[in-house]
Amino acid sequence: MSDIRNIVILTGAGISAESGVATFRGPDGLWEGHRVEDVATPEGFARDPALVQRFYDARRARLHEVQPNAAHAALARLDSEWKGDLLIVTQNVDDLHERAGAKRLLHMHGELKSAWCRACDARLPWEDDLGSGPACPDCGVDGKLRPDIVWFGEMPYEMERIDRALMEADLFVSIGTSGAVYPAAGYVQTARYCGARTLEMNLEPSQGSIFFHETRLGRAGELVPDWVEEVLEAN
Ligand code: BJW
C-alpha cells in the first residue's frame, strides 16, 4: 500500500443509497415506474419530452432533501489529505460528492443541476424545473433546454481524461456500482491491464467482480471510511 501514488475511484448509485437516493437496479430502483427507454434515451426524450422533463425535475427537486453520508465524507477527506494524484469519477448525477467537499471529481454521466441548451450548446448551472420550457439564459431561445445527463447511446463526459488517469493509476477503487453500464464497467480491466491494483467495495459482487484483486462486501458508509483511514495511515 505504501508504494501507491495515483488513485482513481469510480463511484455509482450505491454510494448515495445510504443518503436516501434510490439505486437504479435495486428492488426500489428509480426506473420501476418507467421503462429505461422512456426516460434515459434521446429517443425517449424525442417521443415524450414532458414525461422526461418531469422525471428529472422531480429528481432535481429531491436533491434538497438528501445529505452526503459517511462514504462521501471519507472520500472528501481523502481528496484533501492525499498528496498524490487522485481522481474521483462518479457516474452519479447527484451533487453529494461536492457537497461533502470533494474537489478532484468529475461527473461522467452529467449532473442534475446542469442544463444543456440544444440551440446554442451552452451548459448552464440549473436549480429549477425545466419542464416549463424556460428560455436559455445564454441565447434566449425558449424550450430548448434539456437535462445535462448522459443517456444511453450518448458519449459520457471527459473520456480522454478518465482513460489517462486509468493508465497512470496505481490503485483503482470501485464503490457502489453494479458494473452493468459501459464504458464505466470496463474501467477495472483497463486499470488492471495498465498495472493498477484493483479493489471493489459493494453490497454484493458486481457483474465485473472477477476482475478485481480484492472485493469488500458491505455498506459503503461503513467500508469506505475504514478504507480511507487505512490508505492515509499507510502513506
Ligand atoms: C451499495 C449500497 C450501499 C446498494 N453500499 N453498495 C452492449 C454491450 C456493451 C455495451 C453496450 C451494449 N449495448 C449498449 C451499450 C452501451 C451502453 C451500455 O452500457 N448499455 C448496457 C445496458 C449494456 N452505454 C452507453 O450507451 C453509454 N455511452 C456509450 O457507450 O457511448 C459510446 C462509447 C463507446 C466507446 C467508448 C465510450 C463511449 C452511456 C451510458 C449512460 C448511462 N446513463 C445512466 C442514466 C443517467 C440518467 C439518470 O441518472 O437517470 O447512468 S444509466 C444508469 O446506470 C446511470 C448510472 O450512472 C449507471 C450505472 O448504474 P450504477 O451506478 O452502477 O447503479 P446500479 O443501481 O446499477 O448499482 C448500484 C450498486 O450499488 C448495486 O450493485 C448495489 O448492490 C450497490 N449498493 N446500496 C454499497 N449502501
Side-chain angles (χ1 to χ4, degrees):
M1 182 87 92
S2 58
D3 52 353
I4 288 165
R5 200 189 131 68
N6 298 340
I7 304 178
V8 177
I9 299 170
L10 174 70
T11 67
I15 198 168
S16 295
E18 288 156 69
S19 293
V21 180
T23 58
F24 294 93
R25 292 167 186 83
D28 314 298
L30 267 173
W31 291 341
E32 270 195 349
H34 297 280
R35 297 186 321 140
V36 172
E37 309 87 77
D38 291 339
V39 293
T41 62
E43 294 78 15
F45 184 58
R47 251 192 326 268
D48 192 346
L51 168 83
V52 177
Q53 295 284 23
R54 266 200 314 278
F55 177 73
Y56 285 97
D57 282 348
R59 289 174 59 195
R60 192 180 306 104
R62 274 202 299 275
L63 280 185
H64 299 292
E65 297 160 16
V66 298
Q67 301 300 329
N69 63 52
H72 298 105
L75 293 188
R77 176 185 169 211
L78 183 67
D79 185 1
S80 82
E81 295 182 21
W82 183 253
K83 301 283 186 288
D85 285 349
L86 173 83
L87 182 62
I88 301 169
V89 178
T90 188
Q91 298 170 85
N92 299 342
V93 297
D94 65 49
D95 59 350
L96 296 178
H97 280 300
E98 46 271 60
R99 276 161 59 191
K103 302 271 188 292
R104 291 182 274 181
L105 167 75
L106 71 80
H107 284 270
M108 67 177 290
H109 289 165
E111 295 172 66
L112 281 169
K113 286 192 173 173
S114 176
W116 174 21
C117 177
R118 286 161 300 137
C120 71
D121 205 30
R123 286 181 167 78
L124 308 141
W126 204 265
E127 297 275 344
D128 305 322
D129 284 356
L130 288 170
S132 54
C136 169
D138 270 22
C139 69
V141 175
D142 286 330
K144 286 291 183 186
L145 293 171
R146 62 161 261 190
D148 187 9
I149 302 280
V150 178
W151 289 323
F152 284 106
E154 297 182 328
M155 190 62 84
Y157 292 137
E158 306 221 47
M159 297 294 298
E160 283 179 19
R161 185 173 162 209
I162 297 170
D163 281 342
R164 262 199 317 277
L166 291 170
M167 285 188 264
E168 289 166 8
D170 304 309
L171 176 63
F172 172 78
V173 183
S174 171
I175 303 168
T177 176
S178 60
V181 175
Y182 287 83
Y187 290 166
V188 57
Q189 292 173 77
T190 306
R192 189 169 174 161
Y193 180 78
C194 295
R197 182 156 183 84
T198 55
L199 164 67
E200 153 168 80
M201 289 183 264
N202 209 43
L203 213 48
E204 60 198 352
S206 69
Q207 291 186 20
S209 207
I210 54 161
F211 300 115
F212 289 88
H213 290 104
E214 184 185 351
T215 294
R216 298 184 187 182
L217 298 182
R219 291 154 65 91
E222 289 156 13
L223 296 177
V224 179
D226 287 352
W227 170 73
V228 166
E229 190 68 47
E230 221 174 273
V231 175
L232 290 174
E233 255 176 33
N235 287 274

